[in-house]
Amino acid sequence: MANNEEAFKKIISHAKEYGFVFPSSEIYDGISAVYDYGQQGVELKNNIRQYWWKSMVQFHENIVGLDSAIFMHPTIWKASGHVDAFNDPLIDNKDSKKRYRADVLVEDYMAKVQDKIDKEVEKAAKRFGETFDREQYVTTNPRIMEYQARIDSAGQRLYKAMTDNDLAGFKQLIVDLEIVCPISGTRNWTDVRQFNLMFSTQMGSLSEDTNVIYLRPETAQGIFVNYINVQKTGRMKIPFGIAQTGKAFRNEIVARQFIFRMREFEQMEMQYFVRPGEELKWFEYWKAERMKWHLSLGMPASKYKFHNHEKLAHYANAAVDIEFEFPFGFKELEGIHSRTDFDLNAHQQFSGKKLQYFDPELNESYVPFVVETSIGLDRTFLAILSHAYTEEKLADGSDRVVLRLPPVLAPIKAAVLPLVAKDGLPEKARDIMDLLKIDYMCQYEEKDSIGRRYRRQDAIGTPYCITIDHQTLEDNTVTIRERDTMKQERISTDKIPAIIPERIRTDK
RNA sequence: GCGGAAGUAGCUCAGUUGGUAGAGCAUCAGCUUCCCAAGCUGAGGGUCGUGGGUUCGAAUCCCAUUUUCCGCUCCA
């Protein structure tokens, strides 16, 4: 683990040193858990996004794209459940200085009392043997009935406090239940405060107080509220999908681990609209499809695993994560959720607009069910970067750091390098550079020895280096050097524009 | 948010009992012209994370604050 920690630190330094990722606002001391993508990072990130987009939108005739706004009608977040679910009531114990979710404390209390009931029942069961009637015992034993009453009362008050957003009532509940801090054992609590995971701001006139607007905590809702627009104008037939990439914002209590958990992050989501009853079939389909996509990036299957959700969110009837082995362990990279008709139903109800689909094959109307694939772009970036980062000891005893990025994702596809900066080689190299840069990202470099320039390109993951030497002037050939093998071959200059895209397609 | 550790040049770090900020690499200019980093000459770059305090004097001691990392917690 210590080794991985070291490795992770090296990756973070490398990311900064070579212009992939910078801490945001760094000259002002930075801002916690916000990062900027530098000159290489933005290329890599764009390429990942494009690779995803192509595989989802371009390669699937029944999936179309969308780019919805970050600002949305505030009621959307009521309908989606985010206003309620993203509001955690928090309370601190003044002695242990520990912070808890108030609802979790109450739930723990209820579980503890339930535990007492279970133990009582167990004891009684042993005592009475086979004649024991559990049902009857539970409903007649006064001590158990008293326990049960405590649970019921606590549950009701918890529910009321949650739905009414009654923070004072919450505090009173914790006081009345005599809940103690598991660490300090005291009842010295602060007031209950709300911690909203959604960022908010105001739109329009500040004099009205009803214009609070949220920065979207997920991109999915933008798709749901446009579902009927896309379906009608695109004449989409179920099953069909809508894909979108974009920023989302969550005011996480703790945001850490470099770009793994940021407060501002980018999602790549696809919502697939299916017939009710067929959602689990499609869930399995997308689970397999998405894993294929990850493996197509050339990373070993052992780096990935599925993690089934046992506790499902309020909207889901099946959910699985694709986890990736980051330097800090297996962590969620992508979620595949069967969201049922929860979202569309909620929007239908809150908006009063019909969101039904008429299925000509079944000759009936229904609200479609939704299977979602939702992947973190920044996390994918981190997964790819951390896996690509390699330190090598070469045969001659020297070291090199190379980013073994999939060529299709590399920020720079080719570097154009005159062997020496004289004898007309730079001029020739410029000609080649001008030709190639029309088709893909290239970098021209003539400073320093050729070996050093190769190493610099290795460090940013450039898959090919094209070197112009004296022979080029004679027979119009160049050498093309491959990043991973460091092998070179000589090819004719007019073959370069075609050969690199061709190799990028096949080299994974 | 709590606890621990750290913050000195772009990077990695040194800086003695408090006494005028250093190295290597990198960068830039010039020389060299060589197919896998580290040839030569020169130059630029730091109010030592920030703000206070103690002191004749603070990178060094004290307090606060901020950022990062680790653990706990959280992650619909």
Side-chain angles (χ1 to χ4, degrees):
Chain A
M1 202 61 197
N3 266 341
N4 283 345
E5 237 170 65
E6 283 312 302
F8 188 42
K9 280 185 180 158
K10 280 187 178 169
I11 290 158
I12 295 170
S13 313
H14 191 86
K16 190 191 162 193
E17 197 171 344
Y18 288 90
F20 284 87
V21 179
F22 305 126
S24 164
S25 320
E26 201 184 6
I27 61 168
Y28 286 98
D29 247 359
I31 175 163
S32 183
V34 187
Y35 290 89
D36 298 336
Y37 288 85
Q39 67 277 18
Q40 306 302 344
V42 65
E43 297 294 338
L44 176 56
K45 192 179 173 200
N46 283 343
N47 290 344
I48 296 169
R49 190 193 294 105
Q50 194 188 27
Y51 186 79
W52 180 87
W53 190 264
K54 274 193 176 174
S55 74
M56 297 305 268
V57 178
Q58 190 172 326
F59 296 171
H60 289 93
E61 292 171 28
N62 66 339
I63 298 179
V64 293
L66 178 76
D67 183 16
S68 71
I70 288 171
F71 293 145
M72 289 190 263
H73 195 286
T75 309
I76 287 171
W77 305 113
K78 279 210 186 304
S80 70
H82 284 85
V83 170
D84 298 325
F86 262 35
N87 265 314
D88 293 332
L90 299 176
I91 188 165
D92 292 313
N93 182 272
K94 289 178 189 167
D95 298 312
S96 67
K97 311 259 190 227
K98 282 275 171 193
R99 170 169 289 183
Y100 301 92
R101 271 177 57 176
D103 55 324
V104 172
L105 282 179
V106 175
E107 278 167 9
D108 286 350
Y109 164 87
M110 287 159 66
K112 235 182 252 171
V113 178
Q114 182 65 47
D115 216 41
K116 282 186 188 168
I117 294 178
D118 292 346
K119 279 197 183 126
E120 287 276 333
V121 173
E122 277 314 304
K123 260 198 273 175
K126 261 189 195 160
R127 213 163 52 231
F128 290 105
E130 283 182 7
T131 60
F132 180 63
D133 182 343
R134 188 175 296 257
E135 192 67 25
Q136 204 240 342
Y137 184 76
V138 169
T139 47
T140 52
N141 181 293
R143 197 185 313 175
I144 289 183
M145 285 169 69
E146 198 264 328
Y147 283 152
Q148 193 58 52
R150 272 157 66 178
I151 292 178
D152 293 346
S153 150
Q156 279 166 20
R157 289 181 63 187
L158 173 64
Y159 179 78
K160 195 166 165 0
M162 291 291 277
T163 47
D164 297 354
N165 219 354
D166 178 7
L167 299 179
F170 233 127
K171 171 75 184 288
Q172 197 54 49
L173 176 58
I174 283 168
V175 169
D176 291 350
L177 296 177
E178 303 185 341
I179 293 175
V180 299
C181 167
I183 306 290
S184 65
T186 68
R187 283 182 266 156
N188 191 8
W189 297 105
T190 63
D191 286 338
V192 177
R193 284 163 301 154
Q194 205 77 13
F195 193 93
N196 195 333
L197 282 154
M198 283 195 289
F199 286 100
S200 58
T201 185
Q202 299 89 34
M203 184 176 260
S205 159
L206 293 174
S207 56
E208 296 162 37
D209 55 15
T210 51
N211 50 15
V212 169
I213 201 156
Y214 297 103
L215 272 62
R216 63 183 180 196
E218 64 172 27
T219 52
Q221 299 304 325
I223 294 178
F224 297 137
V225 299
N226 277 296
Y227 137 80
I228 207 80
N229 282 338
V230 173
Q231 191 273 319
K232 296 257 190 255
T233 59
R235 300 171 5 260
M236 308 303 290
K237 302 250 183 320
I238 271 180
F240 73 94
I242 303 177
Q244 156 156 264
T245 71
K247 287 281 179 82
F249 306 82
R250 291 181 197 179
N251 194 10
E252 303 278 0
I253 301 172
V254 175
R256 267 208 294 235
Q257 271 154 337
F258 194 40
I259 56 171
F260 182 80
R261 177 165 289 114
M262 294 193 287
R263 296 207 164 93
E264 174 180 343
F265 58 101
E266 189 159 345
Q267 293 184 309
M268 304 191 288
E269 291 198 327
M270 192 277 297
Q271 309 292 333
Y272 204 67
F273 299 89
V274 305
R275 270 184 201 160
E278 293 190 350
E279 70 275 11
L280 294 179
K281 180 185 91 184
W282 288 111
F283 174 76
E284 291 302 326
Y285 172 82
W286 282 110
K287 194 175 150 182
E289 276 299 295
R290 292 306 304 149
M291 185 57 98
K292 268 195 237 163
W293 183 87
H294 287 281
L295 296 176
S296 78
L297 291 169
M299 288 190 275
S302 61
K303 284 269 179 181
Y304 295 93
K305 69 179 183 195
F306 286 114
H307 174 252
N308 280 299
H309 287 213
E310 279 151 34
K311 205 175 78 187
L312 293 169
H314 57 275
Y315 53 72
N317 71 351
V320 68
D321 290 340
I322 294 177
E323 296 191 334
F324 179 81
E325 192 176 15
F326 288 94
F328 41 87
F330 273 99
K331 296 278 180 184
E332 179 186 355
L333 187 56
E334 171 156 14
I336 297 144
H337 301 144
S338 174
R339 295 183 75 129
T340 70
D341 57 352
F342 175 88
D343 300 276
L344 290 182
N345 256 338
H347 289 309
Q348 188 165 256
Q349 199 183 321
F350 277 77
S351 69
K353 303 287 190 307
K354 255 177 120 179
L355 297 179
Q356 293 193 334
Y357 170 82
F358 178 75
D359 192 324
E361 277 176 47
L362 301 178
N363 200 28
E364 64 176 74
S365 288
Y366 52 78
V367 173
F369 272 45
V370 173
V371 175
E372 162 188 87
T373 74
S374 173
I375 175 169
L377 176 49
D378 311 274
R379 288 179 180 190
T380 308
F381 182 106
L382 181 59
I384 288 167
L385 184 70
S386 58
H387 183 255
Y389 181 87
T390 318
E391 292 174 359
E392 288 186 338
K393 197 131 201 116
L394 298 177
D396 65 1
S398 63
D399 298 311
R400 80 162 179 159
V401 172
V402 52
L403 283 190
R404 295 178 180 276
L405 296 171
V408 65
L409 302 181
I412 309 291
K413 303 302 185 205
V416 178
L417 315 168
L419 183 63
V420 292
K422 63 170 191 182
D423 303 336
L425 298 187
E427 291 76 6
K428 184 68 187 167
R430 280 282 175 204
D431 287 347
I432 292 170
M433 174 71 187
D434 288 343
L435 187 69
L436 297 186
K437 73 182 181 190
I438 297 168
D439 295 321
Y440 36 83
M441 282 298 292
C442 293
Q443 209 169 63
Y444 174 87
E445 268 204 287
E446 59 177 46
K447 172 107 178 118
D448 292 316
S449 76
I450 190 69
R452 186 191 285 272
R453 281 177 280 164
Y454 286 151
R455 297 298 165 89
R456 266 206 294 267
Q457 294 300 328
D458 290 340
I460 59 169
T462 305
Y464 303 105
C465 289
I466 292 158
T467 306
I468 288 80
D469 56 19
H470 293 95
Q471 197 182 327
T472 309
L473 302 178
E474 288 163 26
D475 63 6
N476 224 25
T477 61
V478 295
T479 61
I480 178 164
R481 171 205 185 255
E482 204 272 330
R483 177 194 68 201
D484 295 347
T485 60
M486 299 169 73
K487 291 248 168 65
Q488 279 177 277
E489 62 180 298
R490 187 163 280 279
I491 59 169
S492 162
T493 42
D494 29 283
K495 284 197 183 143
I496 315 171
I499 202 168
I500 290 182
E502 191 182 303
R503 290 195 181 178
I504 287 169
R505 262 202 304 278
T506 51
D507 289 8
K508 280 277 169 57

